[in-house]
Amino acid sequence: MTTSHHFSQELQALPRAGSARWISRPVQPRFRPLVALPSGAVAWAPAGTTLAQPFVCEGQLTGVNIDLRFKPERDPFQRAGLDAISGLNADSRVTAPGRPLCRVRLLDHAGSVLTELAVDDDAFFQRFSVLLALPAPLAAGRFAVELTARQEVGWSRGLVAEPCDPEIAPLSLVRPYLRDGQAQTGVLALGAQVRPAPNPEFSKVFDLDEAPAAARLHATGLGYATWWINGHRVGDGALEPAPTQYDKRVDVSVFDVAELLRAGSNEIIARTGRGFWGAHGSDVWGWSLAPWTAEPMVWAHLEVGGQRGGAVIGTDGSWLTRASDITSEMLYTGVVQEVGGPEGSWEPALEVAGPQGRLCLASAPPDIPREPVPPVKARLVGDSTVFDFGRVLTGVVEFRVTGAGPGEVRVKYGETADAEGHAVCDNAYASGEAQVDQVVVRGPVDLTWRPEFTYKGFRHAELTLTGNVAVSGVRAVPYVAEIARAGSFECDQPLLQWIDTATCATVLNCVHGLPVDTPTYEKNGWTDVHLVAEAALLSLDLRPLLTKWLDDYVDAQDAVGAVPVIVPTPGWGRWLDPAWSGSMVLIPYALYFEHGDTGIIGRYLDPMRRYLDHVLELASETGWLWARLSHGDWLPPGGALEGPTPVATMMLTLLADRLAQMCAAVGLDGVAAGYRSARQAVMGAYHKRYFDDASGTYRIAGAPYRQVMNALPLVFGTVPLKERARVASGLATDVEQRTQGHLNCGSIGVKYLLPALSESGRFDLALTIATQQTRPSWAPWAKTGDGTLWESFDADARSRSHFFLGSVSSWIRQAVGGLRGTAPGWRQACLSPPDDARVTRAKTTHVTGHGLIEFAWERTAAEWRVRASIPPGTEAVLALPSASAEALAPGTHSIKTPLGREAKVWNGPRRRDPAPPAAAAPWIIEP
């Protein structure tokens, strides 16, 4: 069984631990990518200049990355922010086409164009690593990447260094680059990916004098490994260890394995996957440019105890290795596995230096394969069969494959199907086909096949068979991390119930050693998770996951305190964005407020302070407005017409407030005062810049009213008291008149819009938005049967398994469920049902550090009926709309009180009549 820890702990010295070495399997040059890492220096190309980097690829070329840079004054993010500050039309950034920056082409040895990409400066909103994707691999040969500048652009110079382990490391780029056809000194940063070698596996046979009384295995493999002892699987995790910043930290799992060992001969086998360690298949994030990239490797320390002494077996050069039956694994495509053929021969393993990162005990909950899910329907589409599993999930498929061979089974996964019924997954961010696994049958087989070391996001799986093979028993195998439930919610508004359930399901779909942006297209740890953290913590105990991920933040933080927008990172996304990577502060705060644990604050206080101090220093240089890049209010309907500066600036006030609270909680009152002072400066700058006294709203001249610009100040408490009523009224008026009961904001606005309305006395409008049936709303998603949240409110949203628009679930639990913690660690709680006849009952539970707290309420035609259970250690207050607030002592309470006056409900043109009340649920208190 794997041990679990809330914090990553550096592996303590083990008896004779020095016997363990990292081992790998050497591979031929044709299987190794060609890489020159960015060195920090840049080759600048003025407009009209051509830069070219020639290279020789010894294997099948699958894609190329190059690393481009702007000079600061050319940074489009900075320009967009400054445009907003200077009063220029803020929607120019989203409506005007990007300026041509450069053209990038991949050429063959004869100068023929194989693929090309026109890059404009808007493209850098998504990447600094430019991908030249290939639909299919190219044969080995001589190539060149050519860049023609349309405006000044930089190509990072490459770092040429002798690898520590040359038999498993990428090949070095050695041919000098060209400027306008003339050879220069050095190379440019480039990653040329090739088809990988088969994944290695490792073996060690050893004797024991007796059956052990105890045995513990510390083991890890990069990128993933599974361990087997005497033919039995060790543990049940599918994707271990969790991805980390491998040059700083590598997770090690711990297993008790005494029951698997025996007296006499024993064998331990490790099978490996590439994951994010040795990623193949180019992508826009440049994982092929990660500084640690190498062939898979393992490290293990087995300590056996018995009555006659014991034994220690560690990985070293005495182990054997061979090519496994996984002949190809590419990060965003999938695996190819050959079965029914001859096995490879064993040969001595290669001792290697291994990663630079320290070994730490694993703390993230592992992915566990769950009960297989049968399809709800299957249909023939051309030569294929497409299986629909009835909901969007994360995992793989399994099936029985039989036949004499040769033959092949190809599996294409997709969240959606096209008009003809084919599974669809087109990933513009990665080279090659997306989400495809293959099993190649070389001879007679009869086995149940499940792909290893990969996961997919899908609802549909399309199987195509060729040759002499047959398939039966197709099922989906969900991969769901071991995460304890921390709460529940029920109510009689079906859509609210669906949103809350779908949020939890989507979060679980997206947890794979870290919270990932989408399990289908990206698999990266985008730092906007703070948006859904509060909602997720009300349903799930995420302490082990989030503290592990915060350790990744610390490892990824640079010398001045900046945190990249994806964590871990291969080097991509190293720009500051308080609206995104402000999670360096907001996630520790969410954990602290939920659990009341000041140990969280102590552990991350220094990195939090370094991060926020740097952000505030930069903001102070531009009048306390954020004038640099930001994703802003990402993916709002119609575009972020306010530009990035207003939202990022508002998020600064939240960061300063949260860190001030945490500093005060650990006795750093002086430091807390400093952050409060900075917050006041940012508040004042925002109000001065954006408040329109004539309308009583925050807005940008020339741009339409923006809900997010007004909701955030209301919730964050930054509106001057004398203006609060006008700002709140303006927000309500916009919802009633301009958007007719709809939201009109993106990922950040969605979290705060409904609380802004509720806290301003307009719960009715908030509920109208939450239960809206037409786009933009959650209702169209519920009607698909996917059971998950989409990436945006657009009908053609890319992903259907994306959690950040589930942030509204915290409002559902707190404002509709009526249960809200009001002090860290649930030392205090408020129980207050909403006063709106469209929702007549709800029940919310939550597991706190003091015990289970429950709140159930029902609204009848005449009275409120309440049942509450309060654990010792929580001071609870019951606030019914028709009665004075009263304290509730620990214990169980049943209360009835007259209903009182009818609450105001907005009667707008889009409002639908409420459904008739459903039958009373069993937990509702009877008269």
Side-chain angles (χ1 to χ4, degrees), residues 328-364:
S328 176
E329 178 199 334
M330 294 200 287
L331 184 60
Y332 293 99
T333 298
V335 301
V336 179
Q337 186 170 0
E338 296 188 0
V339 298
E343 295 183 340
S345 58
W346 294 102
E347 56 190 29
L350 175 69
E351 288 191 13
V352 296
Q356 297 179 15
R358 65 196 184 279
L359 297 177
C360 293
L361 292 175
S363 58

Side-chain angles (χ1 to χ4, degrees), residues 137-415:
L138 300 174
R142 291 184 290 120
F143 303 91
V145 175
E146 177 190 84
L147 178 151
T148 302
R150 305 302 190 198
Q151 54 180 293
E152 187 171 32
V153 64
W155 187 341
S156 296
R157 289 181 178 270
L159 182 66
V160 179
E162 190 67 28
C164 295
D165 300 310
E167 294 178 88
I168 63 168
L171 303 175
S172 295
L173 190 64
V174 294
R175 300 190 66 183
Y177 78 96
L178 307 175
R179 179 184 292 272
D180 292 331
Q182 299 300 310
Q184 307 293 302
T185 300
V187 299
L188 300 175
L190 178 145
Q193 273 288 4
V194 296
R195 273 200 172 276
N199 291 4
E201 59 185 6
F202 303 89
S203 170
K204 176 70 174 180
V205 176
F206 57 95
D207 291 328
L208 295 177
D209 293 336
E210 59 181 333
R216 178 163 290 184
L217 174 66
H218 289 73
T220 190
L222 298 176
Y224 301 123
T226 55
W227 298 84
W228 304 74
I229 293 180
N230 296 326
H232 297 282
R233 176 80 151 80
V234 178
D236 50 9
L239 299 167
E240 293 186 279
T244 55
Q245 205 73 28
Y246 297 115
D247 54 351
K248 299 292 182 65
R249 193 178 84 253
V250 174
D251 280 358
V252 176
S253 299
V254 185
F255 307 97
D256 294 321
V257 295
E259 294 181 354
L260 303 180
L261 296 167
R262 61 198 177 207
S265 179
N266 293 266
E267 183 180 29
I268 181 170
I269 288 178
R271 290 174 62 81
T272 62
R274 296 180 179 276
F276 288 90
W277 163 260
H280 274 249
S282 298
D283 55 82
V284 299
W285 306 281
W287 284 102
S288 61
L289 293 172
W292 51 71
T293 297
E295 285 296 298
M297 58 183 65
V298 296
W299 179 96
H301 174 90
L302 173 62
E303 190 163 359
V304 182
Q307 294 182 350
R308 303 176 194 171
V312 173
I313 296 93
T315 44
D316 59 22
S318 69
W319 284 53
L320 301 177
T321 184
R322 68 181 180 185
S324 76
D325 51 4
I326 300 175
T327 57
S328 176
E329 178 199 334
M330 294 200 287
L331 184 60
Y332 293 99
T333 298
V335 301
V336 179
Q337 186 170 0
E338 296 188 0
V339 298
E343 295 183 340
S345 58
W346 294 102
E347 56 190 29
L350 175 69
E351 288 191 13
V352 296
Q356 297 179 15
R358 65 196 184 279
L359 297 177
C360 293
L361 292 175
S363 58
D367 278 30
I368 304 298
R370 302 298 179 175
E371 187 69 24
V373 176
V376 296
K377 65 175 69 171
R379 57 178 294 195
L380 290 173
V381 181
D383 296 330
S384 305
T385 304
V386 180
F387 297 87
D388 180 355
F389 294 97
R391 61 184 174 92
V392 173
L393 51 85
T394 300
V396 294
V397 298
E398 71 172 18
F399 47 82
R400 183 184 179 193
V401 54
T402 58
E408 179 179 308
V409 183
R410 182 181 184 276
V411 185
K412 171 73 174 183
Y413 303 81
E415 293 176 346

Side-chain angles (χ1 to χ4, degrees), residues 576 613-623 625-626 628:
L576 271 174
D613 289 351
H614 184 46
V615 170
L616 290 173
E617 180 183 15
L618 294 175
S620 70
E621 296 172 358
T622 50
L625 295 170
W626 187 252
R628 289 168 170 79

Side-chain angles (χ1 to χ4, degrees), residues 837-853:
R838 290 172 292 174
V839 56
T840 62
R841 60 177 181 271
K843 178 184 178 183
T844 308
T845 71
H846 190 63
V847 179
T848 76
H850 310 292
L852 183 68
I853 186 170

